[in-house]
Amino acid sequence: MGRGGGEGGPVKSLLAAVGVAALVGACDSGPDPMRVVWQRDTVSAEFSLPVHSVWCQEQGWLEVVGARSDTGVALAIFPSDTIITGRYPIVLPLERTDSIRPVAVVAVRWFSQDELLSFEGVEGEVVVEHTVEGLTGRFHARLRAPKGIDSLRLEGEFRRTPVTRGGIECQPIEQDSVGGDSAVVLD
């Protein structure tokens, strides 16, 4: 595995979070669903997912998850200080575990006709704004399958998403895998 990333690191945690969200909270859609468009080769699709955001204070990261049934999109946002708003380049932490904050990690999964497909972000950007109504953001990314050369492009947005404090969604992530200090998002 990559340096400092442990067994699977943040991507494995994000894929697990998508599964947890599908089981314990994906029905709570908040004010607006996450809207997502993906393109894989010549096939594309657009869909909406119930979304929730969790601030993992101990780990110093924010998780934004859109999930319905076995389909999910998860973003982990690692701010460099106490300000969560801003632009976050998407990195592949298993290859770039020495990345310096601010960065973001993205993972996607869904069932095809006969298999579970998962992808992890290799490049792109997440832009986050914090308003009195909650988090608003947009993202675009190129993702690849963890094994193989299969890839897809993803664009999406979330609006007025409330942020809750950590819980089972906050899986431990080695601090040196993303660098930086913890940020405070909630009052």
Side-chain angles (χ1 to χ4, degrees):
M1 289 292 145
R3 298 170 305 188
E7 182 65 32
V11 172
K12 187 172 181 181
S13 294
L14 280 176
L15 291 172
V18 170
V20 169
L23 295 173
V24 296
C27 295
D28 181 14
S29 64
D32 289 349
M34 178 184 280
R35 300 197 187 288
V36 180
V37 176
W38 62 263
Q39 182 174 358
R40 185 175 174 207
D41 298 323
T42 60
V43 179
S44 63
E46 184 172 342
F47 54 94
S48 296
L49 300 167
V51 64
H52 73 277
S53 297
V54 177
W55 172 241
C56 299
Q57 186 168 349
E58 185 176 324
Q59 293 84 3
W61 61 301
L62 175 74
E63 181 177 276
V64 180
V65 177
R68 178 182 298 115
S69 188
D70 293 318
T71 299
V73 176
L75 306 166
I77 299 166
F78 301 91
S80 58
D81 55 33
T82 59
I83 301 172
I84 192 68
T85 59
R87 296 179 176 275
Y88 296 86
I90 293 172
V91 298
L92 181 61
L94 296 179
E95 291 180 358
R96 297 182 56 188
T97 57
D98 58 344
S99 295
I100 299 172
R101 291 178 183 230
V103 295
V105 176
V106 62
V108 177
R109 81 172 205 175
W110 72 86
F111 272 106
S112 69
Q113 292 178 337
D114 58 352
E115 67 180 323
L116 175 66
L117 300 172
S118 64
F119 293 85
E120 54 196 17
V122 294
E123 65 183 7
E125 182 179 60
V126 179
V127 179
V128 180
E129 297 175 18
H130 191 262
T131 68
V132 294
E133 298 172 315
L135 289 179
T136 295
R138 63 187 183 281
F139 54 92
H140 64 89
R142 184 175 64 85
L143 298 96
R144 71 169 191 204
K147 297 182 184 198
I149 59 170
D150 202 10
S151 67
L152 67 98
R153 295 220 173 260
L154 185 75
E155 292 183 16
E157 69 177 2
F158 51 94
R159 300 177 55 81
R160 299 188 304 255
T161 304
V163 179
T164 59
R165 291 195 185 268
I168 62 172
E169 298 91 344
C170 295
Q171 302 297 320
I173 293 179
E174 292 182 30
Q175 187 66 24
D176 68 345
S177 68
V178 292
D181 299 320
S182 296
V184 177
V185 177
L186 303 175
D187 295 331

